[in-house]
């Protein structure tokens, strides 16, 4: 079984050929980070144009060495994301589906992130999934493939969004996350920062943190110290929430995924936490934490095997929750 997967929900144009038997065959990806960097964040209009410009050349590169007739189905990100960017990937999936007479399989972007760990590990059910990305900060109980229970998440900014806003305050360019990660390694001291909503069940809040970071910056503290202090605050919040989710569900198997799970400080912190509590912990390898098409292919393969084919008139949606998606598709 062979799928061609398409991911265009934000600022990465990504395609992947993936077979059930051999895994990832070939992936191609173009990041738009440089294009958006002067704007301090992703500009939806620019993103959609760039996807449109790049998707066909990327497809040509991907399909050079294979006979397209061998593709069994097309997997694509349907939701959530920037609507104009999702439209590019969905329309491309439809065009391929028509040209090759092959079915399309819609994938939820967060489902893709969760199943990115399956590229290297076969995780047993049930498990808790903590998705930390530029658009989401959510905890789910995953009882089986397609059986998702939302446990809690951010009420305002996503944690990756907060990393990017901190990056903007410190004039580090976009995306801020990797730069904050790097600078924090040269910190000399940890500065006081609040831990908003740390004792409020599984609700989270990150929008206030950036204001406190701004204050520290205006007080003249070093960027390195600010980055490390910010990461420590984020780590405290995420670890407390994960701990609570574990004690509420009694599930000790955990998947942490999404762009922010590439953060070296958080990876080490979660590793230590898992060691201390005897958790079975899975975090994708770094290049699979951020957006990619392999994760869409893996989830797409699981969907296809369950007969989850998209109708021809399917339309992308900017904001469908994972639970609602699983009910609809
Ligand atoms: O999953 P992703 O590629 O896209 C979304 O689905 O949103 O996540 C992108 C986010 C950005 O906010 C970026 O700053 C953050 O992931 N990120 C990081 C790191 N690498 C990427 N945040 C902290 N540390 C990193 N090393
Ligand atoms: Zn993502």
């Amino acid at each position: 079984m062979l799928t061609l997967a398409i991911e265009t929900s934000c600022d990465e144009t990504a395609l992947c050929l993936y077979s059930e038997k051999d895994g990832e065959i070939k992936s191609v990806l173009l990041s738009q980070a440089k294009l958006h960097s002067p704007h301090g964040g992703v500009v939806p209009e620019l993103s959609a144009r760039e996807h449109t410009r790049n998707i066909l050349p990327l497809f040509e590169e991907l399909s050079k060495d294979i006979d397209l007739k061998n593709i069994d189905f097309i997997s694509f990100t349907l939701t959530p994301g920037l609507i104009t960017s999702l439209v590019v990937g969905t329309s491309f999936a439809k065009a391929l589906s028509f040209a090759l007479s092959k079915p399309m399989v819609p994938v939820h972007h967060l489902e893709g992130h969760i199943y990115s760990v399956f590229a290297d590990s076969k995780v047993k059910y049930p498990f808790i999934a903590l998705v930390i990305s530029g658009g989401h900060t959510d905890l789910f109980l995953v009882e089986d493939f397609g059986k998702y229970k939302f446990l809690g998440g951010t009420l305002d900014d996503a944690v990756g969004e907060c990393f990017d806003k901190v990056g903007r305050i410190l004039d580090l360019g976009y995306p801020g996350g990797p730069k904050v990660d790097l600078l924090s390694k040269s910190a000399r001291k940890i500065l006081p920062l609040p831990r908003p909503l740390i004792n409020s069940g599984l609700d989270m809040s990150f929008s206030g943190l950036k204001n406190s970071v701004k204050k520290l910056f205006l007080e003249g503290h070093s960027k390195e110290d600010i980055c490390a202090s910010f990461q420590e605050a984020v780590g405290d919040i995420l670890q407390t929430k994960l701990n609570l989710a574990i004690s509420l569900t009694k599930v000790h198997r955990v998947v942490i995924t999404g762009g922010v799970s590439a953060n070296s400080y958080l990876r080490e912190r979660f590793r230590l936490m898992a060691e201390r509590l005897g958790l079975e912990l899975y975090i994708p390898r770094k290049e699979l934490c951020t957006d990619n098409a392999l994760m869409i292919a893996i989830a797409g393969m699981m969907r296809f095997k369950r007969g989850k084919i998209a109708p021809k008139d399917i339309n992308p949606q900017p904001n469908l929750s994972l639970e609602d998606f699983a009910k609809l598709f």
Side-chain angles (χ1 to χ4, degrees), residues 162-163 166 180 193 209 213 225-235:
C162 195
F163 265 95
V166 166
V180 170
L193 277 174
L209 255 182
V213 163
D225 291 350
I226 294 174
C227 288
S229 312
F230 168 70
Q231 284 187 169
E232 192 173 284
V234 168

Side-chain angles (χ1 to χ4, degrees), residues 7 9-12 80 109-110 113 131-136 158-165 174-182 230-231 257-267 286 288-292 295:
E7 157 62 41
S9 67
C10 191
D11 60 339
E12 258 95 29
H109 186 75
L110 299 192
H113 273 305
V131 185
I132 41 177
S133 69
H136 291 84
V159 68
E161 191 180 351
C162 195
F163 265 95
D164 294 337
K165 285 178 178 169
Y174 172 86
K179 289 164 184 148
V180 170
D181 190 349
L182 195 68
F230 168 70
Q231 284 187 169
T257 181
V260 180
S261 66
N263 183 272
S264 22
Y265 165 79
L266 292 175
R267 289 172 85 90
K286 280 199 177 180
L288 292 185
C289 293
T290 44
D291 290 351
N292 62 86
M295 69 186 199

Side-chain angles (χ1 to χ4, degrees), residues 302-318:
M302 293 182 168
R303 294 209 144 261
F304 183 73
K305 280 161 62 183
R306 289 161 178 80
K308 310 278 190 186
I309 306 299
K312 287 194 173 72
D313 61 353
I314 195 164
N315 256 328
Q317 300 190 39

Side-chain angles (χ1 to χ4, degrees), residues 11-319:
D11 60 339
E12 258 95 29
T13 319
L15 301 173
C16 172
L17 276 171
Y18 173 85
S19 93
E20 197 180 9
K21 189 166 129 276
D22 302 318
E24 180 182 19
I25 295 168
K26 187 170 174 183
S27 289
V28 286
L29 182 148
L30 262 179
S31 165
Q32 305 172 0
K34 276 208 181 103
L35 175 76
H36 299 292
S37 190
H39 305 280
V42 179
V43 182
E45 160 92 17
L46 291 181
S47 170
R49 285 183 188 204
E50 201 64 7
H51 285 306
T52 308
R53 194 194 318 271
N54 292 330
I55 197 160
L56 189 55
L58 277 177
F59 171 72
E60 283 173 341
E61 189 187 330
L62 183 81
S63 57
K64 251 187 334 225
D65 313 318
I66 69 140
D67 186 348
L68 291 176
K69 284 197 214 79
N70 293 333
I71 292 171
D72 294 293
F73 64 100
I74 322 292
S75 310
F76 68 102
T77 306
L78 181 79
T79 185
L82 302 172
I83 189 64
T84 45
S85 298
L86 288 166
V87 163
V88 179
T90 305
S91 303
F92 200 77
K94 286 186 182 188
L96 276 182
S97 164
F98 178 75
L100 303 174
S101 297
K102 300 291 177 183
M104 306 177 275
V105 173
V107 175
H108 192 285
H109 186 75
L110 299 192
E111 184 174 61
H113 273 305
I114 292 170
Y115 282 89
S116 62
V117 292
F118 282 64
D120 297 311
S121 321
K122 177 128 185 35
V123 186
K124 292 196 185 114
Y125 297 99
F127 60 82
I128 291 172
L130 171 62
V131 185
I132 41 177
S133 69
H136 291 84
T137 303
D138 292 328
L139 277 158
F140 297 98
L141 175 64
V142 182
E143 293 170 324
D144 201 343
F145 182 79
K147 282 197 162 178
Y148 311 114
K149 259 193 202 146
F150 176 73
L151 299 173
T154 183
L155 303 177
D156 41 54
D157 289 356
V159 68
E161 191 180 351
C162 195
F163 265 95
D164 294 337
K165 285 178 178 169
V166 166
R168 215 178 304 163
I169 292 167
L170 303 182
D171 201 17
L172 304 177
Y174 172 86
K179 289 164 184 148
V180 170
D181 190 349
L182 195 68
L183 275 186
S184 68
K185 292 182 201 295
S186 319
R188 290 168 166 223
K189 60 175 184 294
I190 295 297
L191 307 160
L193 277 174
R195 271 77 174 140
L197 296 194
I198 197 154
N199 294 316
S200 305
L202 293 175
D203 286 344
M204 295 179 235
S205 167
F206 294 96
S207 75
L209 255 182
K210 64 174 184 296
N211 301 325
S212 312
V213 163
K214 196 169 192 172
K215 205 162 150 262
L216 290 180
F217 186 54
L218 294 175
E219 284 167 11
H221 294 284
S222 82
K223 290 185 182 181
E224 289 81 357
D225 291 350
I226 294 174
C227 288
S229 312
F230 168 70
Q231 284 187 169
E232 192 173 284
V234 168
D236 281 354
I237 297 168
L238 294 176
Q239 189 168 329
T240 306
K241 302 297 169 177
L242 184 56
N243 240 319
L244 181 60
I246 292 164
S247 53
L248 291 174
T249 58
K250 315 259 181 302
V251 170
H252 289 78
R253 198 175 290 120
V254 175
V255 166
I256 303 178
T257 181
V260 180
S261 66
N263 183 272
S264 22
Y265 165 79
L266 292 175
R267 289 172 85 90
E268 177 61 6
R269 201 169 156 159
F270 287 127
R271 194 188 64 74
L272 293 172
M273 174 186 177
E275 215 172 81
R276 207 178 57 248
L277 300 180
L279 304 175
E280 207 180 303
L281 174 69
Y282 300 89
I283 307 181
R285 59 184 130 107
K286 280 199 177 180
E287 68 270 26
L288 292 185
C289 293
T290 44
D291 290 351
N292 62 86
L294 174 57
M295 69 186 199
I296 303 304
I298 296 171
M301 187 62 75
M302 293 182 168
R303 294 209 144 261
F304 183 73
K305 280 161 62 183
R306 289 161 178 80
K308 310 278 190 186
I309 306 299
K312 287 194 173 72
D313 61 353
I314 195 164
N315 256 328
Q317 300 190 39
N319 255 325

